[in-house]
């Protein structure tokens, strides 16, 4: 009798597993109720399959006091096989904030964002089966973050320090490593009068011995002097250094090495 009960319990758990996954996903109705969701879907995903998924988490303040520096954390680590993550804000004049490919890092990224007005901030994670899993949160702000000039653009110092990298590595409780890196760059959106668009275009974080930890492709709405936080799983980094390599949209190079 006990054996039959165990078998029945296992069968029930197996049957309920797809239901639990389906409960986390909602393929149609926008949980944030944005009037712009249809436009976002057409712009970024076209005919690809898109589901709203609670496992893709976007953390940000409910009310942002500084529209030019809104802290955002995207966490898609509950999904298996994440190949790319796209971050966008429905009501920004420049909707796309950035994208990243996790590589050997966790599919988690912290950064700061400029917002023009109150808006949903969303992350869409594409898994190996080609499905986009979308999560997000509303952020309220007084706005104006995208049309104000950067503070660096008015200072002669930024030209001498352009694309300078500062970074730090430290251990996590789970045995992994956290990397926090900052790049000196004005990240101008091109929406402030008389100031052309000028932003980091590509930022690769690489293992010194080869292999990609993460590829980040920032767009104009990322905040000035962007600060990125990346989590590296246990056993990936070892004792080696991390290399940072990239460029901005004017072709200026970014090259640095971070040691433990």
């Amino acid at each position: 009798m006990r054996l039959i009960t165990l078998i029945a319990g296992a069968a029930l758990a197996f049957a309920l597993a797809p239901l639990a996954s389906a409960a986390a996903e909602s393929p149609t109705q926008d949980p944030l109720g944005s009037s712009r969701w249809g436009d976002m879907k057409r712009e970024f995903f076209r005919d690809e399959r898109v589901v709203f998924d609670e496992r893709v988490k976007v953390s940000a303040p409910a009310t942002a006091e500084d529209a030019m520096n809104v802290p955002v954390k995207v966490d898609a680590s509950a999904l298996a096989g994440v190949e790319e993550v796209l971050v966008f804000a429905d009501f920004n004049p420049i909707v796309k904030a950035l994208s990243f490919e996790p590589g050997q890092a966790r599919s988690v990224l912290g950064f700061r964002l400029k917002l023009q007005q109150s808006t949903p901030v969303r992350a869409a994670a594409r898994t190996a089966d080609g499905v986009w899993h979308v999560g997000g949160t509303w952020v309220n702000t007084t706005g104006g973050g995208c049309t104000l000039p950067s503070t660096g653009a008015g200072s002669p110092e930024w030209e001498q320090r352009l694309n300078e990298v500062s970074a730090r590595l430290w251990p996590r409780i789970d045995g992994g490593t956290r990397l926090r890196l900052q790049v000196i760059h004005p990240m101008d959106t091109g929406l402030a009068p008389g100031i052309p668009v000028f932003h980091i275009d590509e930022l690769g974080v690489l293992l010194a011995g080869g292999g990609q930890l993460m590829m980040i492709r920032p767009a104009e709405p990322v905040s000035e002097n962007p600060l990125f936080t990346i989590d590296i799983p246990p056993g990936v980094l070892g004792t080696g250094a991390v290399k940072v390599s990239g460029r901005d949209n004017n072709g200026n190079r970014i090259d640095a090495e971070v040691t433990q």
Side-chain angles (χ1 to χ4, degrees):
M1 177 65 72
R2 184 171 181 272
L3 178 60
I4 293 172
T5 302
L6 289 173
I7 293 172
L12 178 61
F14 180 79
L16 290 177
L19 297 178
S21 177
E25 300 178 0
S26 174
T28 54
Q29 187 174 359
D30 176 17
L32 299 180
S34 169
S35 61
R36 290 272 290 154
W37 167 246
D39 297 329
M40 300 299 98
K41 190 173 185 297
R42 284 188 293 272
E43 179 173 350
F44 293 117
F45 311 116
R46 299 187 182 181
D47 296 328
E48 296 175 278
R49 187 183 172 209
V50 180
V51 295
F52 295 107
D53 197 326
E54 296 174 354
R55 293 171 293 180
V56 179
K57 301 185 182 302
V58 179
S59 303
T63 301
E65 296 181 358
D66 184 356
M68 294 186 72
N69 287 282
V70 182
V72 176
K73 179 183 177 183
V74 173
D75 186 346
S77 61
L79 291 172
V82 174
E83 296 183 344
E84 179 185 5
V85 178
L86 171 67
V87 183
F88 55 98
D90 292 22
F91 292 103
N92 253 9
I94 302 171
V95 176
K96 181 180 176 181
L98 59 76
S99 64
F100 68 92
E101 299 159 15
Q104 296 184 57
R106 297 186 189 278
S107 49
V108 179
L109 182 65
F111 60 98
R112 291 178 180 268
L113 180 64
K114 298 189 285 277
L115 294 180
Q116 187 66 14
Q117 59 182 302
S118 299
T119 180
V121 177
R122 305 184 195 260
R126 178 173 55 81
T127 46
D129 57 3
V131 178
W132 289 94
H133 303 257
V134 180
T137 187
W138 266 96
V139 179
N140 296 303
T141 181
T142 53
C146 293
T147 51
L148 293 172
S150 65
T151 57
S155 170
E157 183 182 0
W158 75 263
E159 294 187 15
Q160 300 170 5
R161 300 185 62 197
L162 180 69
N163 289 339
E164 178 182 297
V165 176
S166 58
R168 179 188 170 197
L169 289 160
W170 69 90
R172 288 171 46 90
I173 295 175
D174 63 3
T177 306
R178 174 159 288 178
L179 168 65
R180 182 166 290 169
L181 67 91
Q182 185 171 37
V183 185
I184 301 298
H185 202 285
M187 298 296 291
D188 287 306
T189 62
L191 300 178
I195 301 176
V197 60
F198 187 34
H199 67 93
I200 298 171
D201 196 46
E202 183 177 277
L203 193 66
V205 184
L206 313 168
L207 293 169
Q212 180 174 290
L213 282 172
M214 184 175 286
M215 176 61 72
I216 307 171
R217 294 184 171 86
E220 298 93 321
V222 172
S223 295
E224 177 182 1
N225 300 330
L227 176 67
F228 299 105
T229 302
I230 298 168
D231 287 339
I232 305 167
V236 172
L237 186 59
T239 58
V242 172
K243 292 185 176 181
V244 180
S245 178
R247 64 175 184 270
D248 62 29
N249 68 316
N250 283 358
N252 300 300
R253 296 294 307 172
I254 302 169
D255 287 295
E257 185 171 291
V258 186
T259 56
Q260 298 189 67

